[in-house]
Amino acid sequence: MGEAMAQGLMSKKLLSSKSITVAEPRQERRKELEQKHRINVTANNREAAQTCKILVLSVKPQDLDGVLAGLKGVLQPDQMVMSIVAGARVSTISRGLAHSAIVRVMPNTPAQIGEGMSVWTATPSVRKDQLNQARIILQALGEELYVNDEKFLDMATAVSGTGPTYVFLVMEAMVDAAVHLGFPRHVAYRLVTETMRGSIIYAIKSGKHPAELRNMVTSPGGTSAAALYQLEKGSLRTVLSKAIWAAYERSKSLGEGKSPSSDINDINKAI
Ligand SMILES: NC(=O)c1ccc[n+]([C@@H]2O[C@H](COP(=O)([O-])OP(=O)(O)OC[C@H]3O[C@@H](n4cnc5c(N)ncnc54)[C@H](OP(=O)(O)O)[C@@H]3O)[C@@H](O)[C@H]2O)c1
């Protein structure tokens, strides 16, 4: 994700390669990044943090504590920190770094090709010009939405952050169903992905409510009506709603530092 962000900023000519420094522990990865993008690389997080205007935290959640501990007290008040680490609260980052200007972002996987949806918030210490810089950086990953309360990030984690997973599962199920009918897999894949792509663009461009678009193609006694009957009978809407709620609860527990097992027990009790 860090590489996607740097790539997006460079391809949109918002930053030159020489104004980006990546701190990366693995030597072969540093070499790869340096050769591919001509950016500065270092193995030393503190060295990168000391000289930058904006510090982007893009490590896995399990590596965050160690990284924060190593950077504690290094930053000056006028530097801004932008974290895309899933589930990491602003208070955790702020305490861990002893720094108050924090932007927290929930991106999603399509950001890796500049088609992402990022939801973000900032602490009151982030200046107006820094808010604009944060927005420009996130626009390099696709669309962005600022929210004024961190609670919306847990909700966004369940909807847009985890959202691609739901889409990929539906995509996979439709491809398998088309193969079941008799299409070769590559044909099934093309039919499904092009149908999904076209339907989404059509829904966005038409501005119509999804139910209206669906009703337009549901003729009395037709194929859509027969398929919709089975989808409703199988409780598709309820299952999706429960899945999104479970992701929301999980996101909140991750932020509180709870383990996955305690959370699964809670969910099992609730179902
Ligand atoms: N992938 C997504 O679409 C997505 C979506 C939403 C949120 N996020 C969040 O974005 C963050 C990054 O995810 P990712 O998928 O880009 O993970 P990733 O590919 O594993 O990238 C993490 C990077 O951090 C480096 N790293 C590990 N320990 C470090 C340390 N101590 N100091 C400095 N760098 C260190 C890793 O280096 P090595 O390769 O050498 O281990 C790796 O280059 C995660 O917190 C994730 O929750 C990702």
Side-chain angles (χ1 to χ4, degrees), residues 1 24-26 45 58-61 63 67 84-86 107 109 112:
M1 285 295 275
E24 154 66 49
R26 246 180 334 122
N45 288 350
S58 175
V59 293
K60 291 284 188 205
D63 294 324
V67 169
I84 64 162
V85 181
T109 46
Q112 294 185 28

Side-chain angles (χ1 to χ4, degrees), residues 100-196:
S100 61
I102 314 283
V103 166
R104 180 183 163 194
V105 187
M106 185 62 223
N108 63 9
T109 46
Q112 294 185 28
I113 54 154
E115 294 288 344
M117 180 70 229
S118 300
V119 179
W120 61 288
T121 194
T123 56
S125 308
V126 177
R127 298 188 313 262
K128 212 170 166 192
D129 60 307
Q130 290 175 318
L131 285 174
N132 281 335
Q133 288 167 343
R135 178 169 286 116
I136 289 167
I137 292 175
L138 294 178
Q139 285 171 351
L141 294 176
E143 298 283 322
E144 50 76 32
L145 175 76
Y146 171 81
V147 290
N148 61 9
D149 192 322
E150 198 177 6
K151 73 176 183 195
F152 293 113
L153 262 81
D154 285 321
M155 299 182 198
T157 301
V159 178
S160 50
T162 318
T165 311
Y166 319 139
V167 175
F168 298 146
L169 183 70
V170 171
M171 187 189 284
E172 187 190 342
M174 285 176 69
V175 170
D176 285 346
V179 171
H180 188 198
L181 290 178
F183 281 114
R185 191 160 284 276
H186 70 281
V187 176
Y189 184 82
R190 185 160 173 233
L191 291 183
V192 171
T193 51
E194 287 305 310
T195 302
M196 284 188 134

Side-chain angles (χ1 to χ4, degrees), residues 12 15 22 55 84 94 111 113 122 147 159 215 223 234 238-239 242 246 250 258 261:
K12 292 192 171 177
L15 279 183
V22 173
L55 173 72
I84 64 162
S94 182
I113 54 154
V147 290
V159 178
N215 289 348
T223 55
T238 317
V239 168
K242 278 185 173 176
R250 184 74 199 106
K258 279 197 200 161
S261 54

Side-chain angles (χ1 to χ4, degrees), residues 198-219:
S199 306
I200 288 162
I201 294 171
Y202 179 40
I204 292 169
K205 285 200 173 167
S206 72
K208 289 191 164 68
H209 190 285
E212 191 182 345
L213 293 170
R214 194 164 43 77
N215 289 348
M216 278 159 56
V217 291
T218 309
S219 346

